Amino acid sequence: MAGAQDPIRQQLIEARRNQILDAAAKVFAAKGFHRTTTKQIASEAGVAEGTIYNYFDSKGDLLISIMMRLSAVEDVGMELAEALNRDARGFLLAIARHRMALIAQNYETLKAVLPEMLVNPDLRDEFYSRFAQPLVTLLEQYVRARVESGDVRPVDPPLTVRSVQATFIGLMILRFLGDNVLASEWNELPEALVDLLFNGLSAEEAA
Amino acid sequence: MAGAQDPIRQQLIEARRNQILDAAAKVFAAKGFHRTTTKQIASEAGVAEGTIYNYFDSKGDLLISIMMRLSAVEDVGMELAEALNRDARGFLLAIARHRMALIAQNYETLKAVLPEMLVNPDLRDEFYSRFAQPLVTLLEQYVRARVESGDVRPVDPPLTVRSVQATFIGLMILRFLGDNVLASEWNELPEALVDLLFNGLSAEEAA
Amino acid sequence: MAGAQDPIRQQLIEARRNQILDAAAKVFAAKGFHRTTTKQIASEAGVAEGTIYNYFDSKGDLLISIMMRLSAVEDVGMELAEALNRDARGFLLAIARHRMALIAQNYETLKAVLPEMLVNPDLRDEFYSRFAQPLVTLLEQYVRARVESGDVRPVDPPLTVRSVQATFIGLMILRFLGDNVLASEWNELPEALVDLLFNGLSAEEAA
Amino acid sequence: MAGAQDPIRQQLIEARRNQILDAAAKVFAAKGFHRTTTKQIASEAGVAEGTIYNYFDSKGDLLISIMMRLSAVEDVGMELAEALNRDARGFLLAIARHRMALIAQNYETLKAVLPEMLVNPDLRDEFYSRFAQPLVTLLEQYVRARVESGDVRPVDPPLTVRSVQATFIGLMILRFLGDNVLASEWNELPEALVDLLFNGLSAEEAA
DNA sequence: AATGAATGAGTCTTCATTCAT
DNA sequence: CATGAATGAAGACTCATTCAT
């Protein structure tokens, strides 16, 4: 009897958790973690305040759980396994598209988590090791290889790669800050970005 | 009598304000705005809690004042008036150096202000209109001009310019997140960055 | 149909009530009434939280019911009807043994009830009128009679009797407080106690 | 300047602490620790809720501090140094008077602390080692010596001594429970008690 | 102008109790 | 009857702000 209910109960629990996390992410994104009260989250989720604590340990646990849910979505390795086989431009474009899509699809979550992350060591380390570091490492290996093969100019790989990574992050921040152009042209960004990063601004041919 | 003292009094007041703002910026940068108590700020500044309120309206006013002090430092127009006369590469390098230096010199202030800015509309607008927008506007004008003159490839100016601006911001964020390479190689960044943005990654000549 | 089930149902209900009360007494004794949650009681009893409320009105009702169950055990009159016929020493010994045994056999229950009793008027009155008062009254009558008959010295009956009663209570408290000697020598207590109360400490003969 | 204020400030702090502890003890005694709210304590003390936390870490700290203040009052060694030189009866009387007076003078404090002590290990250990244990130890040494010297009958010292100690505690409990006789005759208790403990109930001469 | 004790509104969190299944 | 998720009132505690000295 209970055997059949267990999976159902698990699903209900998961659904309720997501319901609460969605509400929390929405309010955190709108007002910031500290300005958000548990009462507001409960109200947004359509549950009582106490219900939140049947599913999460604390308000801080909500934020961490929001980020964990994002981690589950992120999967650099998979997506880019195929990209590695492309030429440099194709690779860069795949990365850029993947990144911009990730940001667009998780806009609220990221807006909820990022400001607090800059200030909370636990979240920071989690983010850095899950999102920032893996991409930097992967890019660095790729750039080194392509510099050796001659496809890419002899740039400084660590700094170059961090600059590329920084561009993704900075564009997200600029969107958070309310930049209207980015909001409306977000889908054009990967192309423009790759054009910039791959070909550079200079009209002159590289000597 | 008061006539002679006024300027002196003004200086004393200004000194005390700075003493408090320095302390506040330091603690905000270390623990975040909301986790910082006025007691901690007072302790760091070596004054009593009440004294803070003789110079500032509220805790929030401290943050705004910290940012205002940064605004006073920033002076895009001045610095770049001369840069406009250089060639594209020189211009970009001047901008990058200026930006990286600004970040390095105001590291604590920026770390104090930025996370809260993402969450506080007042601060956000102030930052966007003072720091982000002016540079974007200036860059955009420059890029348009140089595209026309043929010095710069026919890129999409708005997106390109935002990407450049985003890179500066993203590098700052990555430093906040504790990236060691950026911390130690910060001074090498402008060259590497300009090399990337101006020449691009591609080893092939632009057709 | 229900006619035959009634007695059985009554037994089942009684069994379930006792199961819950046993669990409650155990946890109350270990952690105190207020620090105990209904969830802990349910868990200890092996039932769901809601089930408790099918048998008891409230958490407080559990405590009162625990005490009522103790009242049912206690039966001063019965036990001492025979003791009244003994000589003074035998009577005192019978009382002491009865009391110490009662405490030992209901250690957990008493430890659960007593601290809260000191603080809860309802429980206090119940305890005082059921346990303290009857014994005091009985002892007082007995002492008065024996003083008149000359078996007992001309003591102040009310104060003497309360002192004797106090000794029982105090020994229980000292055990609650973790006194190791009392825990291991509890069975020797009645003899030692009667020796003290009956003969006194003095080596000199009463003049 | 500040040199002269320090002692004054210390006195003010001590006065405010005592004001709050008095209020807390009063309300704890009346309603019990857990049923007392910090708001009630504040109201009773005539201060704001927050003020309590300028002087104490937590509600629990109030209780511990109440007990500590009692510890400062208690001074078994001093009082009884002189009593040791008396004969057995005089010694017992001195102890009894000292104990009954201590209870009477700290009635509220004890009523506040004792119930929670039975349930809180920290308080329990503090009480046992400060109040129960020292008196037991001292009595035990005294009884052993007097048994040897022949002034006291050959009783079992550990159990006898604990019984005496238990009587003091039990009398206190009976008062807490609302015994009217004890409340009105408290001052007569030491004599009656010593009469009982020293001479015993028996009218017969010890063989 | 400086101080820091006092304030009390505001928040997170707990947990006894209810009730739909 | 049994269950346990949902509830929300209640309470301990924090901390920005005030103000008498």
Coordinates of all heavy atoms in Angstrom, one line a residue, chain A residues 173 184 194:
Chain A
I173 N 25.0 41.1 -15.9 CA 24.9 42.2 -14.9 C 24.2 43.4 -15.6 O 23.4 44.1 -15.0 CB 26.3 42.6 -14.4 CG1 26.9 41.4 -13.7 CG2 26.2 43.8 -13.5 CD1 26.6 41.2 -12.3
S184 N 16.3 43.6 -25.4 CA 15.6 43.3 -26.6 C 16.5 42.6 -27.6 O 15.9 41.9 -28.5 CB 15.1 44.7 -27.2 OG 16.1 45.5 -27.5
V194 N 30.7 36.8 -30.8 CA 31.7 36.0 -31.5 C 32.4 36.8 -32.6 O 33.6 36.6 -32.7 CB 31.0 34.7 -32.0 CG1 32.0 34.0 -33.0 CG2 30.6 33.8 -30.9

